[in-house]
Amino acid sequence: MPTDTKRSGSGAKARDALAMLMADHKKVKKLFSEFDKLKEEGGDEDKSAIVNQICNELKIHTELEEEIFYPAVRKAIDDSDLMDEALVEHAGAKDLIAQLEDASPDDDLYDAKVTVLSEQIDNHVKEEERDMFPKTKKAEVDTEALGATMLKRKIALMDKMGMSAEDDDSDDKDAKPTRAAKR
């Protein structure tokens, strides 16, 4: 987590864009881990709820990156290949998300699609955190201003999807599917 993250008067962390994105990464990784446990134990209803939450989290995350974060970073760093690859990776993830949203846990290849999505996201996250985020810091992108803009947009997207701000506890160690995620 960036060490320059400021604290507001209430003691809460200011929403730095990089800290926000890394919290999302951590949350989705935990959800994929929950899915893996359910895959072993069974429980299609629980698997479906977790997958719906994963899909919702990823849709919001990719939209924030594509609308706000990536354009700002693209302007600041000289690495169009890195930025283009990130967009292509998003497109692949969106395709699997769409397939999963139209599927149910008893469908053929359901678990395999979730596993492949998990692997794709894991690779994407590693590339962002290893390559893109350090270049963003080095270019001195105003990640606090971006974070504020991203947070406003995230709240609007969550509202549009029927999720509440309480659903976005990215640091919750016991993240469980929310009512909105279960549909």
Side-chain angles (χ1 to χ4, degrees):
M1 205 157 295
T3 55
D4 64 335
T5 301
K6 295 179 184 162
R7 300 204 174 261
S8 68
S10 67
K13 275 187 287 188
R15 284 303 213 160
D16 174 89
L18 297 178
M20 222 175 123
L21 294 174
M22 289 191 303
D24 286 354
H25 293 167
K26 183 178 176 182
K27 182 177 186 179
V28 170
K29 183 175 185 161
K30 180 155 183 61
L31 290 169
F32 278 121
S33 178
E34 293 283 326
F35 178 84
D36 287 341
K37 289 176 192 167
L38 290 172
K39 194 166 62 169
E40 294 171 15
E41 299 167 4
D44 285 353
E45 187 176 318
D46 291 337
K47 282 192 335 187
S48 181
I50 291 282
V51 170
N52 283 335
Q53 189 174 4
I54 289 168
C55 291
N56 287 340
E57 295 292 336
L58 290 174
K59 288 190 311 190
I60 290 169
H61 184 84
T62 58
E63 194 156 337
L64 291 173
E65 285 185 332
E66 291 175 9
E67 285 182 12
I68 301 166
F69 187 72
Y70 287 176
V73 173
R74 186 180 287 273
K75 285 181 190 172
I77 69 171
D78 185 25
D79 195 341
S80 60
D81 287 344
L82 177 67
M83 302 310 298
D84 291 347
E85 288 168 15
L87 290 172
V88 171
E89 289 167 352
H90 277 195
K94 287 178 186 178
D95 181 51
L96 274 174
I97 289 166
Q99 290 179 44
L100 286 166
E101 288 180 324
D102 290 337
S104 67
D106 58 345
D107 289 350
D108 289 341
L109 306 178
Y110 184 85
D111 289 356
K113 288 177 183 181
V114 177
T115 300
V116 170
L117 179 61
S118 175
E119 292 167 353
Q120 286 180 347
I121 296 301
D122 187 54
N123 181 59
H124 178 72
V125 164
K126 285 177 183 170
E127 289 177 358
E128 280 187 344
E129 292 182 1
R130 182 190 64 225
D131 299 330
M132 188 184 299
F133 292 1
K135 287 181 180 187
T136 301
K137 288 180 187 177
K138 186 176 180 183
E140 298 182 2
V141 172
D142 186 350
T143 55
E144 290 204 15
L146 273 181
T149 302
M150 288 167 55
L151 183 58
K152 287 179 191 171
R153 180 68 175 133
K154 184 173 191 172
I155 291 167
L157 290 169
M158 290 175 73
D159 186 50
K160 182 178 173 184
M161 296 175 82
M163 299 166 69
S164 68
E166 294 86 49
D167 294 339
D168 185 39
D169 189 5
S170 298
D171 295 322
D172 181 7
K173 292 182 178 101
D174 299 314
K176 299 284 183 221
T178 60
R179 277 180 269 112
K182 291 181 183 178
R183 285 187 222 182

